[in-house]
Amino acid sequence: MSWRRTAAGLGAALPLSACAGAQSAFDPAGVEAARVLTLFWVMLGGAVAIWLVVIGFSIFVTKVRPQAYSEKAGLRLIIWGGCVFPTVVLAGLLFWGLGMLPELRRPADGPTIAVSGERFWWRVAYDVEGGPGVVRNLPPGGIPSANEIWLPVGQRSEILLGSPDVIHSFWVPSLAGKMDAIPGRVNRLVLEPTETGIYNGACAEFCGTAHAMMGFRVVVVSKGDYAAYVRAQAAPAAVIEGPGPELFLKNGCAACHSVRGTPADGQVGPDLTHVGSRSTIAGGLLPTTAENIAAFIGSPNHLKPGVEMPSFGMLPEAEVEAIAQWLGSLE
Ligand code: CUA
């Protein structure tokens, strides 16, 4: 019956379904990711060649000519098939791969953006001055944002990666390979997107309970749109008066969060000055809507187990809604 065909179809489709879209190393949209993909196919080719020769020899000596070999013939087989061939193939792959490095190490000609891996979200700062220490000093310095990184297309942007406590790994499969965010040092990742679009990123190093919910978005736009975006992010919040901001301050949200233009200047959690302009909240977890913000304030640990933010479920619903409405409006 058709379940066999369905199962066979699913079996064939599942591996391929991971090969396209906004978070796939098989669907590159940047110079570095394209190189990584080429490297993968060539390495795979080399591995398949070695595998075929070794398996071919095994079949040859066990099935085709299973008789005893002279010591000399056996030694020849081992030296050529087991030593020389793999060494030549692996050395060829190694030097070919090393030849890619100068191209990938070309210096940046675009913006410098600091990104710090936090538990469990990404602190972002635009227009930072390059140089070590900048990520550890973050904040202050740069124009703060979180969980969404805008990049100009066709330019080599430099991402300075750090972390205050545990190791994370910054990975946007469509744009570049992984790079660790390590406490006490600054790693540099230069990447050059070649296509505009929205790409998903993830933390690729186990960092704690909410590791799997530590995502982010990368939005690649034209150079002009990038400049306009950073200018808009630098501005203070659009609305700084009303019940929303009053309740935000009264209930202690400002101890952890900043909303520039208001007295809220907490540095523990994400900067919320323009949280409404970001497409997701809680590290790529939920679309940014007032309903989702209210749900997250009411019970963050329920939506994102392991999150550091405490629950505010004891607040009256109307207060949570007023805060969420205000935050959602901050574009
Ligand atoms: Cu951060 Cu895993």
Side-chain angles (χ1 to χ4, degrees):
M1 239 301 283
S2 67
W3 71 268
R4 275 172 204 275
R5 226 176 297 155
T6 311
L10 268 179
L14 272 179
L16 291 176
S17 66
C19 296
Q23 192 173 342
S24 173
F26 288 96
D27 196 1
V31 171
E32 288 69 25
R35 289 297 150 91
V36 169
L37 186 59
T38 307
L39 188 66
F40 169 78
W41 287 121
V42 173
M43 290 282 176
L44 185 69
V48 167
I50 293 174
W51 185 82
L52 284 177
V53 167
V54 171
I55 295 298
F57 271 127
S58 309
I59 293 172
F60 183 76
V61 297
T62 54
K63 302 284 179 201
V64 183
R65 283 188 58 193
Q67 70 270 35
Y69 285 73
S70 71
E71 200 182 319
K72 208 170 145 195
L75 198 64
R76 212 164 43 221
L77 214 56
I78 290 170
I79 288 176
W80 285 100
C83 299
V84 176
F85 178 72
T87 306
V88 167
V89 173
L90 291 177
L93 288 175
L94 173 68
F95 286 106
W96 181 80
L98 288 177
M100 277 187 173
L101 283 181
E103 165 76 12
L104 293 178
R105 302 291 295 178
R106 264 193 306 135
D109 60 359
T112 303
I113 301 167
V115 175
S116 173
E118 308 281 329
R119 288 180 299 163
F120 299 93
W121 55 282
W122 300 91
R123 192 188 294 276
V124 179
Y126 295 94
D127 279 357
V128 294
E129 298 287 323
V134 70
V135 178
R136 252 167 298 154
N137 295 336
L138 203 186
I143 299 156
S145 184
N147 298 329
E148 192 166 289
I149 301 166
W150 284 48
L151 296 174
V153 70
Q155 274 194 303
R156 296 180 69 71
S157 299
E158 184 167 50
I159 313 281
L160 302 177
L161 286 162
S163 165
D165 38 36
V166 295
I167 299 176
H168 308 266
S169 179
F170 178 94
W171 192 28
V172 194
S174 307
L175 297 183
K178 298 169 191 172
M179 181 73 81
D180 279 359
I182 299 173
R185 60 167 290 138
V186 176
N187 278 346
R188 288 153 187 273
L189 176 68
V190 177
L191 46 82
E192 182 179 338
T194 49
E195 287 169 41
T196 57
I198 299 175
Y199 307 101
N200 292 339
C203 179
E205 174 101 23
F206 183 73
C207 53
T209 310
H211 154 73
M213 292 174 166
M214 191 173 163
F216 59 101
R217 291 276 167 92
V218 174
V219 183
V220 177
V221 292
S222 71
K223 221 172 140 179
D225 286 353
Y226 172 80
Y229 174 80
V230 173
R231 256 198 318 277
Q233 294 292 307
V239 183
I240 55 170
E241 273 165 11
E246 274 165 32
L247 291 163
F248 187 86
L249 293 168
K250 191 190 97 184
N251 289 309
C253 310
C256 293
H257 295 285
S258 286
V259 179
R260 282 169 281 132
T262 75
D265 60 355
Q267 304 291 357
V268 177
D271 182 288
L272 300 177
T273 309
H274 298 288
V275 63
S277 75
R278 309 200 282 256
S279 57
T280 63
I281 58 163
L285 188 62
L286 299 166
T288 307
T289 63
E291 293 74 40
N292 285 341
I293 296 174
F296 194 75
I297 296 171
S299 187
N301 202 51
H302 168 237
L303 293 165
K304 184 169 173 172
V307 71
E308 301 273 290
M309 176 167 147
S311 168
F312 285 83
M314 68 295 192
L315 297 185
E317 220 168 282
E319 292 198 3
V320 172
E321 269 165 28
I323 294 170
Q325 284 290 347
W326 171 60
L327 290 174
S329 77
L330 296 179
E331 293 198 357

